[in-house]
Amino acid sequence: MIIIIFNALSSFSQEVLFPDDFTNKEIKNLNQLNLSFKNYSFDDLNFNKDLKDLAFFNAKRKQNKVWAYVFSTAGTMLLASGLAIDSDKDLHGFKALMYISSAAYYGISIPFFVGNIKNKKQMKKKLIFVEDKLNTLK
């Protein structure tokens, strides 16, 4: 009797079972995009590759965004500390070091912001294709 109940619960479950070639990170990134996989059986290898690409672009976009904000925050903190140094004392070299370091951190953050934008555009293109394919399966 218990086995029948568990089988019934699993058959009415809303969770989609991904194939074994999808990693947990890929599944997590795909689930964050709120795609409906209820009617998709994961038989199409080309579409599975598109799903993996979509998960990659989403993960890379998030990673670039985090690093961009980390480096720009560090640059802002260095700039603020450089401005806060009292220039009446003999700390001009230290103040210049703060400004140069701040500029370097801002410069380092630029490629991460660009990478975030690039991956976001690629993800949107792929997402449109994937949503269309999933909508035709409904």
Side-chain angles (χ1 to χ4, degrees), residues 87-122:
S87 62
D88 293 338
K89 297 181 181 168
D90 192 24
L91 297 174
H92 297 294
F94 191 65
K95 190 172 186 174
L97 180 64
M98 290 291 176
Y99 289 144
I100 291 170
S101 299
S102 173
Y105 275 104
Y106 281 132
I108 291 170
S109 70
I110 291 171
F112 289 106
F113 278 115
V114 171
N116 176 32
I117 292 168
K118 184 182 93 173
N119 286 322
K120 190 173 188 177
K121 285 180 182 178
Q122 289 177 339

Short mmCIF file of all heavy atoms in Angstrom, two decimals, residues 87-122:
data_model
loop_
_atom_site.label_atom_id
_atom_site.label_comp_id
_atom_site.label_asym_id
_atom_site.label_seq_id
_atom_site.Cartn_x
_atom_site.Cartn_y
_atom_site.Cartn_z
N SER A 87 45.33 66.02 3.52
CA SER A 87 46.48 66.38 2.70
C SER A 87 47.46 67.31 3.44
O SER A 87 48.52 67.63 2.91
CB SER A 87 46.02 67.04 1.40
OG SER A 87 45.31 68.22 1.69
N ASP A 88 47.15 67.77 4.64
CA ASP A 88 48.06 68.60 5.40
C ASP A 88 49.26 67.80 5.90
O ASP A 88 50.34 68.35 6.10
CB ASP A 88 47.35 69.25 6.60
CG ASP A 88 46.30 70.25 6.15
OD1 ASP A 88 46.41 70.74 5.00
OD2 ASP A 88 45.38 70.54 6.94
N LYS A 89 49.09 66.53 6.10
CA LYS A 89 50.17 65.69 6.57
C LYS A 89 50.99 65.19 5.39
O LYS A 89 50.59 65.32 4.24
CB LYS A 89 49.62 64.51 7.38
CG LYS A 89 48.89 64.96 8.62
CD LYS A 89 48.39 63.81 9.40
CE LYS A 89 47.65 64.36 10.62
NZ LYS A 89 46.90 63.36 11.30
N ASP A 90 52.12 64.60 5.65
CA ASP A 90 53.02 64.13 4.60
C ASP A 90 52.61 62.74 4.13
O ASP A 90 53.34 61.77 4.29
CB ASP A 90 54.45 64.12 5.12
CG ASP A 90 55.45 63.92 4.00
OD1 ASP A 90 55.10 64.22 2.85
OD2 ASP A 90 56.55 63.43 4.29
N LEU A 91 51.40 62.63 3.54
CA LEU A 91 50.89 61.35 3.05
C LEU A 91 50.52 61.43 1.57
O LEU A 91 49.66 60.71 1.10
CB LEU A 91 49.67 60.91 3.86
CG LEU A 91 49.87 60.63 5.33
CD1 LEU A 91 48.55 60.36 6.01
CD2 LEU A 91 50.80 59.45 5.53
N HIS A 92 51.20 62.34 0.84
CA HIS A 92 50.84 62.53 -0.57
C HIS A 92 51.11 61.27 -1.39
O HIS A 92 50.34 60.95 -2.30
CB HIS A 92 51.61 63.72 -1.16
CG HIS A 92 51.26 65.01 -0.51
ND1 HIS A 92 50.01 65.58 -0.60
CD2 HIS A 92 52.00 65.85 0.27
CE1 HIS A 92 49.98 66.70 0.07
NE2 HIS A 92 51.18 66.90 0.61
N GLY A 93 52.17 60.54 -1.08
CA GLY A 93 52.46 59.31 -1.81
C GLY A 93 51.40 58.25 -1.56
O GLY A 93 51.00 57.53 -2.48
N PHE A 94 50.93 58.17 -0.33
CA PHE A 94 49.89 57.21 0.02
C PHE A 94 48.58 57.58 -0.65
O PHE A 94 47.85 56.72 -1.14
CB PHE A 94 49.74 57.16 1.54
CG PHE A 94 48.90 56.02 2.03
CD1 PHE A 94 49.31 54.70 1.86
CD2 PHE A 94 47.69 56.25 2.64
CE1 PHE A 94 48.54 53.65 2.29
CE2 PHE A 94 46.90 55.20 3.08
CZ PHE A 94 47.33 53.90 2.91
N LYS A 95 48.28 58.89 -0.72
CA LYS A 95 47.06 59.36 -1.36
C LYS A 95 47.11 59.06 -2.86
O LYS A 95 46.12 58.61 -3.45
CB LYS A 95 46.91 60.85 -1.11
CG LYS A 95 45.58 61.42 -1.51
CD LYS A 95 45.46 62.85 -1.04
CE LYS A 95 44.07 63.37 -1.30
NZ LYS A 95 43.86 64.68 -0.75
N ALA A 96 48.26 59.27 -3.49
CA ALA A 96 48.41 58.98 -4.92
C ALA A 96 48.28 57.48 -5.17
O ALA A 96 47.69 57.06 -6.17
CB ALA A 96 49.77 59.49 -5.42
N LEU A 97 48.79 56.68 -4.26
CA LEU A 97 48.66 55.22 -4.38
C LEU A 97 47.18 54.80 -4.32
O LEU A 97 46.76 53.91 -5.07
CB LEU A 97 49.45 54.52 -3.27
CG LEU A 97 49.41 53.00 -3.26
CD1 LEU A 97 50.07 52.46 -4.52
CD2 LEU A 97 50.09 52.47 -2.02
N MET A 98 46.41 55.45 -3.47
CA MET A 98 44.97 55.16 -3.38
C MET A 98 44.28 55.50 -4.71
O MET A 98 43.44 54.74 -5.18
CB MET A 98 44.32 55.95 -2.24
CG MET A 98 44.71 55.49 -0.89
SD MET A 98 44.02 53.87 -0.59
CE MET A 98 44.72 53.53 0.98
N TYR A 99 44.61 56.66 -5.30
CA TYR A 99 43.99 57.05 -6.55
C TYR A 99 44.37 56.11 -7.70
O TYR A 99 43.53 55.72 -8.50
CB TYR A 99 44.38 58.49 -6.93
CG TYR A 99 43.76 59.55 -6.05
CD1 TYR A 99 44.47 60.69 -5.72
CD2 TYR A 99 42.47 59.42 -5.58
CE1 TYR A 99 43.90 61.67 -4.92
CE2 TYR A 99 41.89 60.39 -4.78
CZ TYR A 99 42.62 61.51 -4.46
OH TYR A 99 42.06 62.48 -3.68
N ILE A 100 45.63 55.73 -7.75
CA ILE A 100 46.07 54.83 -8.81
C ILE A 100 45.44 53.44 -8.65
O ILE A 100 44.98 52.83 -9.62
CB ILE A 100 47.62 54.74 -8.82
CG1 ILE A 100 48.20 56.08 -9.27
CG2 ILE A 100 48.10 53.62 -9.72
CD1 ILE A 100 49.69 56.19 -9.09
N SER A 101 45.38 52.97 -7.41
CA SER A 101 44.75 51.67 -7.15
C SER A 101 43.27 51.71 -7.49
O SER A 101 42.71 50.75 -8.05
CB SER A 101 44.94 51.27 -5.69
OG SER A 101 46.30 51.14 -5.40
N SER A 102 42.62 52.82 -7.16
CA SER A 102 41.20 52.97 -7.47
C SER A 102 40.98 52.92 -8.99
O SER A 102 40.07 52.23 -9.47
CB SER A 102 40.68 54.28 -6.90
OG SER A 102 39.37 54.52 -7.32
N ALA A 103 41.80 53.63 -9.73
CA ALA A 103 41.68 53.62 -11.19
C ALA A 103 41.93 52.22 -11.75
O ALA A 103 41.25 51.79 -12.69
CB ALA A 103 42.65 54.63 -11.80
N ALA A 104 42.89 51.50 -11.16
CA ALA A 104 43.18 50.14 -11.62
C ALA A 104 41.99 49.22 -11.38
O ALA A 104 41.62 48.42 -12.26
CB ALA A 104 44.42 49.61 -10.93
N TYR A 105 41.38 49.31 -10.21
CA TYR A 105 40.22 48.46 -9.92
C TYR A 105 39.03 48.80 -10.82
O TYR A 105 38.30 47.91 -11.27
CB TYR A 105 39.82 48.55 -8.45
CG TYR A 105 40.60 47.62 -7.56
CD1 TYR A 105 41.63 48.08 -6.75
CD2 TYR A 105 40.33 46.27 -7.55
CE1 TYR A 105 42.35 47.23 -5.94
CE2 TYR A 105 41.04 45.39 -6.74
CZ TYR A 105 42.05 45.88 -5.94
OH TYR A 105 42.76 45.02 -5.16
N TYR A 106 38.83 50.10 -11.07
CA TYR A 106 37.76 50.47 -12.01
C TYR A 106 38.06 49.92 -13.41
O TYR A 106 37.16 49.45 -14.11
CB TYR A 106 37.59 51.99 -12.08
CG TYR A 106 36.80 52.57 -10.93
CD1 TYR A 106 37.26 53.68 -10.23
CD2 TYR A 106 35.59 52.02 -10.54
CE1 TYR A 106 36.55 54.22 -9.19
CE2 TYR A 106 34.86 52.55 -9.50
CZ TYR A 106 35.35 53.65 -8.82
OH TYR A 106 34.64 54.18 -7.79
N GLY A 107 39.33 49.99 -13.82
CA GLY A 107 39.71 49.47 -15.12
C GLY A 107 39.53 47.96 -15.22
O GLY A 107 39.13 47.44 -16.26
N ILE A 108 39.82 47.26 -14.14
CA ILE A 108 39.64 45.80 -14.13
C ILE A 108 38.17 45.44 -14.20
O ILE A 108 37.80 44.42 -14.80
CB ILE A 108 40.30 45.20 -12.87
CG1 ILE A 108 41.82 45.32 -12.95
CG2 ILE A 108 39.90 43.75 -12.67
CD1 ILE A 108 42.55 44.98 -11.67
N SER A 109 37.29 46.26 -13.63
CA SER A 109 35.87 45.92 -13.62
C SER A 109 35.20 46.09 -14.98
O SER A 109 34.18 45.46 -15.25
CB SER A 109 35.13 46.76 -12.57
OG SER A 109 35.05 48.11 -12.96
N ILE A 110 35.78 46.90 -15.86
CA ILE A 110 35.15 47.17 -17.16
C ILE A 110 34.96 45.91 -18.00
O ILE A 110 33.86 45.67 -18.53
CB ILE A 110 35.94 48.26 -17.92
CG1 ILE A 110 35.76 49.60 -17.21
CG2 ILE A 110 35.48 48.38 -19.38
CD1 ILE A 110 36.66 50.71 -17.73
N PRO A 111 35.99 45.04 -18.16
CA PRO A 111 35.75 43.83 -18.97
C PRO A 111 34.67 42.91 -18.38
O PRO A 111 33.96 42.23 -19.13
CB PRO A 111 37.11 43.12 -18.97
CG PRO A 111 38.10 44.16 -18.63
CD PRO A 111 37.39 45.16 -17.80
N PHE A 112 34.53 42.92 -17.07
CA PHE A 112 33.49 42.10 -16.47
C PHE A 112 32.10 42.66 -16.75
O PHE A 112 31.15 41.91 -16.98
CB PHE A 112 33.73 41.94 -14.96
CG PHE A 112 34.91 41.08 -14.63
CD1 PHE A 112 36.08 41.63 -14.17
CD2 PHE A 112 34.85 39.71 -14.80
CE1 PHE A 112 37.18 40.84 -13.88
CE2 PHE A 112 35.93 38.90 -14.51
CZ PHE A 112 37.09 39.47 -14.05
N PHE A 113 31.95 43.99 -16.73
CA PHE A 113 30.67 44.60 -17.10
C PHE A 113 30.35 44.31 -18.57
O PHE A 113 29.21 43.99 -18.92
CB PHE A 113 30.69 46.11 -16.86
CG PHE A 113 30.43 46.51 -15.44
CD1 PHE A 113 31.41 47.14 -14.70
CD2 PHE A 113 29.21 46.27 -14.84
CE1 PHE A 113 31.19 47.52 -13.38
CE2 PHE A 113 28.97 46.64 -13.53
CZ PHE A 113 29.96 47.27 -12.80
N VAL A 114 31.36 44.40 -19.44
CA VAL A 114 31.16 44.11 -20.87
C VAL A 114 30.80 42.64 -21.06
O VAL A 114 29.90 42.31 -21.84
CB VAL A 114 32.42 44.51 -21.67
CG1 VAL A 114 32.33 44.02 -23.11
CG2 VAL A 114 32.63 46.01 -21.63
N GLY A 115 31.49 41.75 -20.34
CA GLY A 115 31.18 40.33 -20.43
C GLY A 115 29.77 40.02 -19.96
O GLY A 115 29.08 39.17 -20.52
N ASN A 116 29.32 40.71 -18.92
CA ASN A 116 27.96 40.54 -18.42
C ASN A 116 26.95 40.92 -19.49
O ASN A 116 26.00 40.17 -19.75
CB ASN A 116 27.76 41.38 -17.15
CG ASN A 116 26.35 41.32 -16.63
OD1 ASN A 116 25.67 40.32 -16.75
ND2 ASN A 116 25.90 42.41 -16.06
N ILE A 117 27.18 42.04 -20.14
CA ILE A 117 26.26 42.51 -21.18
C ILE A 117 26.27 41.55 -22.38
O ILE A 117 25.21 41.20 -22.92
CB ILE A 117 26.63 43.95 -21.61
CG1 ILE A 117 26.35 44.91 -20.46
CG2 ILE A 117 25.86 44.36 -22.85
CD1 ILE A 117 26.93 46.29 -20.66
N LYS A 118 27.47 41.10 -22.78
CA LYS A 118 27.59 40.18 -23.92
C LYS A 118 26.88 38.85 -23.65
O LYS A 118 26.11 38.36 -24.48
CB LYS A 118 29.06 39.94 -24.22
CG LYS A 118 29.31 39.08 -25.43
CD LYS A 118 30.79 38.86 -25.63
CE LYS A 118 31.13 37.56 -24.94
NZ LYS A 118 32.47 37.09 -25.16
N ASN A 119 27.10 38.29 -22.46
CA ASN A 119 26.47 37.01 -22.13
C ASN A 119 24.96 37.16 -21.95
O ASN A 119 24.21 36.24 -22.25
CB ASN A 119 27.09 36.42 -20.87
CG ASN A 119 28.46 35.85 -21.15
OD1 ASN A 119 28.69 35.26 -22.19
ND2 ASN A 119 29.37 36.04 -20.22
N LYS A 120 24.53 38.33 -21.48
CA LYS A 120 23.10 38.57 -21.32
C LYS A 120 22.41 38.61 -22.69
O LYS A 120 21.32 38.05 -22.87
CB LYS A 120 22.87 39.88 -20.57
CG LYS A 120 21.45 40.11 -20.15
CD LYS A 120 21.35 41.34 -19.27
CE LYS A 120 19.99 41.49 -18.69
NZ LYS A 120 19.91 42.65 -17.79
N LYS A 121 23.06 39.26 -23.67
CA LYS A 121 22.49 39.31 -25.02
C LYS A 121 22.42 37.91 -25.65
O LYS A 121 21.41 37.54 -26.26
CB LYS A 121 23.32 40.23 -25.92
CG LYS A 121 23.11 41.70 -25.64
CD LYS A 121 23.97 42.55 -26.56
CE LYS A 121 23.81 44.01 -26.24
NZ LYS A 121 24.68 44.85 -27.08
N GLN A 122 23.50 37.14 -25.50
CA GLN A 122 23.50 35.79 -26.05
C GLN A 122 22.47 34.91 -25.36
O GLN A 122 21.82 34.07 -25.99
CB GLN A 122 24.90 35.18 -25.93
CG GLN A 122 25.90 35.81 -26.87
CD GLN A 122 27.29 35.24 -26.69
OE1 GLN A 122 27.61 34.67 -25.66
NE2 GLN A 122 28.12 35.41 -27.71
#
